[in-house]
Amino acid sequence: MASITLEKIVKTYPDGFTAVKGVDLDIADGEFVILVGPSGCGKSTLLRMIVGLEDITDGELRIGDNVVNDLAPRDRDLAMVFQNYALYPHLTVYENIAFPLRLQRGALSEQDIDAKVRRAAGLLELTDHLERKPANLSGGQRQRVAMGRAIVREARAFLFDEPLSNLDAKLRGQMRTEIARLQRALGTTTVYVTHDQIEAMTLGDRVAVLKKGELQQVASPRGLYDQP
Ligand code: ADP
Ligand code: ADP
């Protein structure tokens, strides 16, 4: 677990378009921050820079005390969950969850992998489905496998990019409860992008509002939505 600090973070794409225009944000160790804002305001760009899938044009990104601007994704030790949680269709639930552990630097024993996969599966109530393939799971179960893949590494932080937007309303409600419970149980620093006002109001410690690449406001959910 670790804090995430953004200092004057800028992203200019190769075509010259500046999608993120000097964002400052301090996310405390264990904090759950929701990132909201209109489509195209730079939310995904910001997440992708934090996880290392997009270069940072200017500014400083720190995870804990380390400046990570130039670190490869695998060395940042973060876990990201996308909305189109791509699972490996030919692998079982067990192997999908184990996959990130097998990629890690420093080989883990099969015994360690097994213990970690079973712990993550237990937290997500997937224990009975470990031998199934993704095609034979419900949407909610697939989403939980994607979460399992994120939590199994005990990463320093979670980054969620609208993870529930492809689910129907009922499943979304269940998964919302699940995510809140999981984050409390694990206490992992989390940045969560959403369009959903209920998620924004109920999940986070703070809500950050991005508009045209600039941070407009950071407040508690109450502070934000109780305004006249
Ligand atoms: P959001 O996630 O808030 O919808 P994005 O971060 O995806 O916004 O995009 C922010 C802005 O950057 C948008 O105007 C988008 O068109 C632009 N953008 C995204 N990716 C690229 C790219 N590879 N090249 C140029 N512009 C991009
Ligand atoms: P490298 O060039 O060092 O192999 P890659 O960019 O190919 O790095 O990414 C591979 C590693 O990056 C994987 O081990 C994985 O842990 C991490 N990674 C890639 N995408 C993500 C993501 N969306 N969320 C978290 N980690 C990721």
Side-chain angles (χ1 to χ4, degrees):
M1 279 186 281
S3 59
I4 300 175
T5 309
L6 286 75
E7 258 179 40
K8 299 189 171 60
I9 294 289
V10 174
K11 175 66 186 185
T12 302
Y13 279 109
D15 67 2
F17 181 76
T18 300
V20 173
K21 300 169 183 164
V23 164
D24 290 305
L25 183 62
D26 279 320
I27 302 167
D29 190 358
E31 193 178 17
F32 195 138
V33 169
I34 304 276
L35 188 56
V36 298
S39 179
C41 70
K43 303 182 295 295
S44 294
T45 302
L46 205 54
L47 274 200
R48 291 168 60 81
M49 282 193 285
I50 295 173
V51 82
L53 298 173
E54 205 68 74
D55 287 338
I56 296 169
T57 308
D58 202 9
E60 190 170 278
L61 172 66
R62 291 194 299 277
I63 299 173
D65 294 329
N66 311 112
V67 177
V68 301
N69 288 48
D70 298 324
L71 272 192
R74 72 190 318 162
D75 296 321
R76 296 186 187 196
D77 195 16
L78 305 173
M80 183 145 170
V81 182
F82 298 98
Q83 54 185 293
N84 52 348
Y85 44 90
L87 303 176
Y88 298 101
H90 58 294
L91 296 181
T92 61
V93 169
Y94 185 101
E95 283 304 327
N96 265 286
I97 296 176
F99 196 81
L101 296 176
R102 301 196 189 284
L103 283 184
Q104 262 177 13
R105 293 188 204 282
L108 288 169
S109 70
E110 274 310 310
Q111 213 177 351
D112 285 346
I113 290 177
D114 192 64
K116 286 174 190 287
V117 170
R118 288 182 188 282
R119 175 164 181 269
L123 279 169
L124 291 160
E125 292 172 22
L126 286 169
T127 307
D128 294 339
H129 307 296
L130 286 173
E131 296 313 318
R132 295 169 76 181
K133 299 265 175 75
N136 304 320
L137 299 173
S138 70
Q141 287 167 339
R142 275 183 225 152
Q143 181 58 3
R144 273 189 251 157
V145 178
M147 304 260 302
R149 242 179 8 188
I151 71 173
V152 74
R153 287 186 301 127
E154 293 150 30
R156 293 195 289 177
F158 296 145
L159 302 168
F160 291 101
D161 196 355
E162 302 192 46
L164 308 185
S165 62
N166 286 340
L167 303 179
D168 65 39
K170 180 158 171 268
L171 267 178
R172 214 159 44 225
Q174 286 170 5
M175 286 302 299
R176 198 165 58 227
T177 311
E178 196 93 347
I179 286 172
R181 188 178 61 79
L182 205 62
Q183 206 264 354
R184 271 197 302 274
L186 299 171
T188 307
T189 311
T190 301
V191 185
Y192 189 106
V193 168
T194 186
H195 271 113
D196 183 311
Q197 240 193 38
I198 302 176
E199 288 173 30
M201 285 191 313
T202 57
L203 281 177
D205 299 314
R206 284 191 298 163
V207 181
V209 185
L210 200 61
K211 198 169 173 189
K212 293 186 176 165
E214 292 181 89
L215 211 50
Q216 289 232 308
Q217 199 179 5
V218 187
S220 72
R222 278 200 140 267
L224 199 65
Y225 290 102
D226 284 352
Q227 278 176 11

